[in-house]
Every structure is written in C-alpha cells, then in structure tokens.
Amino acid sequence: MTDKMSSKERLAAIRDGRQPDRLPIRLMFNSAAGVLCNMSFKEAFSSAVNYASCQIAAYRRYGCDGVNASYSMHGIGMALGAEIVRPENGNFFISKYPIQSIGELSVLNLDKVKLENDALAWQAMEVIDILKKELGDEVGIGISFPGPATGVVSLIGMENFLKWMVKYPDVMNELLQFTTDAVKIISKPFLEKEVGIGLSDPAASGMILGAKRYQDYIFPYTKKIFEWWKAQGQKARGYHVCGNTTKILESMAQTGSTSLSIDNMVSLKTAKEKVGYLLPISGNIDPVQVIKDGTEQQMTIAIKKAYEDAGDSPKGFTLSPGCGIPVNTSREQMDLFVKTAKKYAEIYR
C-alpha cells in the first residue's frame, strides 16, 4: 500500500494533466478512525488532540486523499441546548430537542453559534490547526457542516420536521433560514483557514422528502450557502446527501457545490450520465455490506464496478464509501478496503 506521491502531489498531477501514481481515494472514516488509535468513539471525539491524532494515524497508515475536522450533524441543535447521549462506542444522538412546539421559536439565537460560544466549533478549529501543522504540506484538510434540513432536524426532530413542512410551511421556512444563517456564521472562521468546506445533509434525502419537497424547501437554502461560500472566495465546496438521491442529482449539481459525494443507493453510472459533465463525483462503496462486513471478493467486485461505471466521468472521479464508515468497523476490514481500492486506483489511473 506504499504510495509514490503525497496526496497533494497526486491531485496536482491530475490537475496538470500528468499521470498520477493512482487515482484519489477518500475514506469518510471519521466515525471509525478511533480504532486506529485504540480509542472508543466517545474518547476519539472527546478532545481536539484525540480527534486529530486519529486523523493523522489514518493518513499515515493509508495515505487517504483528505483528512477532516468534525462539526457534528447535531451541532446547531447542540449549540442551542439540545441534550445529547454519548455512548462509549456508538454515534451520539439527541435525547431532547431545543424546540418541542412552534410556540418555542424564541429560542432561536444566532449568537449561540458564534465561534466564541460554540464548543464544537472551537474544538474543530483546534483540530484544523493541529492537522495543518502535522499534515498541511501533504494532504488537503476539510470540514463538513450540517445542511439546512439536517440543521432543522437537530432543533425540532425528524417527526416535527416532516409534520411542520406540511402543516406550517411558514414556520419551516423560518427554521430553514435560521439554519442557513447559522451555517454561514459557523463556517466563516474556517474559510479563513483555507481548508475544504462541505455540506452534509442526510435529512434532505430523496427517500425522506421526495424530489418536489427537496426542490421547494431545501434547494433554495442550500444554494444560498454555496453561493455565499463562493462569494467569500471558497473554491472547494463539497456536497453529500445520504440515501437515494437519483431524482435530485441535477438539482444538487445546481446548488453551487464544486463536487458531489454519491451514496451507495445511487448508481454511479447514472450519476455520471446526469451530472458527471458538470462537476467531479465521488462514491460509492457500500460502507456496511462491503467495507464493514464484506469479503475481499465482494470488495473487489464493488470497487471494479465503481471504476467501470464512473472512472471515466468527464470532470473526474474519486473512489470513496457511499457514506461514513460505521463506528464498529474493524481495522482489518479498513485495511482490506484500502488495499483493494489502491490496487484498482492504480490500474484505472
């Protein structure tokens, strides 16, 4: 698994039309990275030093094309007082949302998400500083923020999110505008760090909302964020929506993002045909059935198919999981995935 180029050298070669040692590979391993440092999920996320150490360990072991700081998908809700349960080895989840009814919108306060008041943002900033010091010459560093829909869910919960969208559309638009403004405030200090910025919006999935509600409610606010980032001079603007986004791919590509991350429920061949001529795409190996639980043969089949379907995507293709690698994925499975991925990333370069 020894690379002949650093990640930055590899991406520069691709940009300049030179042959790289292999095509890029992203891991989306934030939840699983603790296993490389013998840390539980809770321990890995407990401090900037611990989290950065896991990212550094993963890069040193795998040479992955990108490391990341973390701002939780629950982050906006947490900043406004959501109560969180933190299992030792499982993803954190919200046990009580800040807003229980439409009569409680007075809790909306953008001052809560300013850097000086937001503990998660402070920790993420510390992680960025550590990663830039240790790896800045070798690999790109990024951070993702919750998209507008996911931000609203962290405030009111999924049940109210779906219900209020139908019963109280004006309230929903007020909430979506709040989370849009919140993401701008949270992300602004990070723009100055010259790192890659992205939106991840699992609650915007076509499986949950459908194409029309995505277009009517989520698209306008997502576009506001990406256009604002662009106006601030941010060049790298990634976008990921979980689940089957086949019917909203064209809309996603029109938000102002500069790359799309494709879930494993979407055909890469279809994604290439629909939006590959507009922007780079990445994806989309099943993180559970293939990466966490798959055999070497299953990984080989999935990875070869990904390259066959999208390796020639006009604006570029990066192999990655379709979503985050699960918390309890073993080190051996991660090793096997990267070993197999690198083999075919070199073959298809």
Side-chain angles (χ1 to χ4, degrees):
M1 292 195 296
T2 302
D3 290 328
K4 300 178 180 64
M5 293 179 170
S6 71
S7 176
K8 284 192 172 181
E9 290 170 340
R10 181 174 305 111
L11 297 179
I14 294 171
R15 182 192 63 224
D16 297 341
R18 296 179 285 113
Q19 188 174 59
D21 59 339
R22 61 168 172 81
L23 293 178
I25 299 168
R26 291 180 60 226
L27 284 187
M28 297 178 73
F29 60 92
N30 291 14
S31 295
V35 71
L36 301 178
C37 294
N38 298 312
M39 293 183 192
S40 68
F41 179 89
K42 184 177 181 180
E43 186 180 7
F45 281 77
S46 66
S47 72
V49 170
N50 281 6
Y51 184 86
S53 296
C54 294
Q55 294 287 309
I56 292 166
Y59 176 74
R60 295 295 186 212
R61 188 177 185 91
Y62 300 128
C64 44
D65 292 286
V67 293
N68 298 280
S70 175
Y71 185 85
S72 172
M73 294 297 102
H74 306 316
I76 294 175
M78 292 169 67
L80 271 76
E83 295 180 9
I84 299 292
V85 176
R86 302 172 185 268
E88 195 65 38
N89 265 312
N91 287 308
F92 304 156
F93 62 91
I94 296 177
S95 59
K96 184 177 180 180
Y97 294 94
I99 299 172
Q100 306 288 317
S101 71
I102 60 169
E104 298 175 350
L105 298 188
S106 60
V107 307
L108 298 175
N109 182 354
L110 289 171
D111 285 341
K112 296 286 189 180
V113 297
K114 290 181 178 178
L115 182 62
E116 61 268 25
N117 299 324
D118 188 338
L120 283 177
W122 265 114
Q123 181 168 308
M125 187 65 73
E126 292 176 13
V127 171
I128 294 284
D129 289 338
I130 295 169
L131 293 178
K132 286 178 75 73
K133 180 179 178 181
E134 294 295 325
L135 300 177
D137 293 336
E138 300 177 45
V139 63
I141 299 165
I143 182 168
S144 284
F145 298 99
T150 299
V152 172
V153 169
S154 76
L155 294 171
I156 67 175
M158 180 60 74
E159 183 178 349
N160 281 338
F161 175 66
L162 296 174
K163 186 188 302 180
W164 295 3
M165 194 172 288
V166 177
K167 289 187 68 176
Y168 310 115
D170 290 344
V171 171
M172 182 53 59
N173 279 300
E174 181 180 351
L175 288 164
L176 288 165
Q177 184 61 58
F178 176 84
T179 57
T180 295
D181 293 338
V183 170
K184 291 179 183 179
I185 291 170
I186 297 163
S187 64
K188 187 170 180 15
F190 293 88
L191 301 179
E192 299 166 4
K193 291 289 184 176
E194 298 182 346
V195 297
I197 299 285
L199 282 184
S200 184
D201 208 354
S205 170
M207 298 171 63
I208 298 172
L209 298 183
K212 187 176 188 309
R213 285 184 182 168
Y214 175 87
Q215 189 66 35
D216 291 346
Y217 282 100
I218 311 306
F219 175 80
Y221 295 99
T222 303
K223 188 175 178 66
K224 287 181 182 181
I225 295 171
F226 280 120
E227 288 184 342
W228 186 80
W229 281 347
K230 182 180 180 180
Q232 303 302 305
Q234 180 65 29
K235 295 181 179 180
R237 307 181 299 274
Y239 190 24
H240 177 79
V241 176
C242 297
N244 191 341
T245 57
T246 303
K247 294 182 179 179
I248 62 172
L249 283 172
E250 292 96 336
S251 294
M252 290 172 63
Q254 293 166 4
T255 56
S257 62
T258 60
S259 63
L260 291 186
S261 169
I262 308 298
D263 190 281
N264 50 281
M265 296 187 74
V266 180
S267 160
L268 278 178
K269 186 175 182 180
T270 299
K272 178 185 71 174
E273 292 169 352
K274 285 191 169 191
V275 299
Y277 66 96
L278 294 172
L279 73 180
I281 59 175
S282 65
N284 80 341
I285 308 303
D286 189 317
V288 178
Q289 298 298 320
V290 176
I291 298 176
K292 175 180 172 291
D293 297 327
T295 64
E296 185 169 7
Q297 181 182 21
Q298 289 171 320
M299 288 191 188
T300 297
I301 292 170
I303 289 167
K304 285 182 67 177
K305 179 170 173 50
Y307 281 117
E308 289 167 359
D309 287 350
D312 60 348
S313 192
K315 293 293 184 179
F317 172 70
T318 296
L319 187 82
S320 76
C323 200
I325 296 176
V327 174
N328 53 351
T329 303
S330 71
R331 185 181 307 188
E332 291 74 21
Q333 284 296 108
M334 291 174 68
D335 288 348
L336 179 59
F337 170 65
V338 175
K339 176 184 175 182
T340 309
K342 284 191 174 184
K343 174 182 176 180
Y344 289 95
E346 184 173 354
I347 291 172
Y348 283 91
R349 61 180 169 162

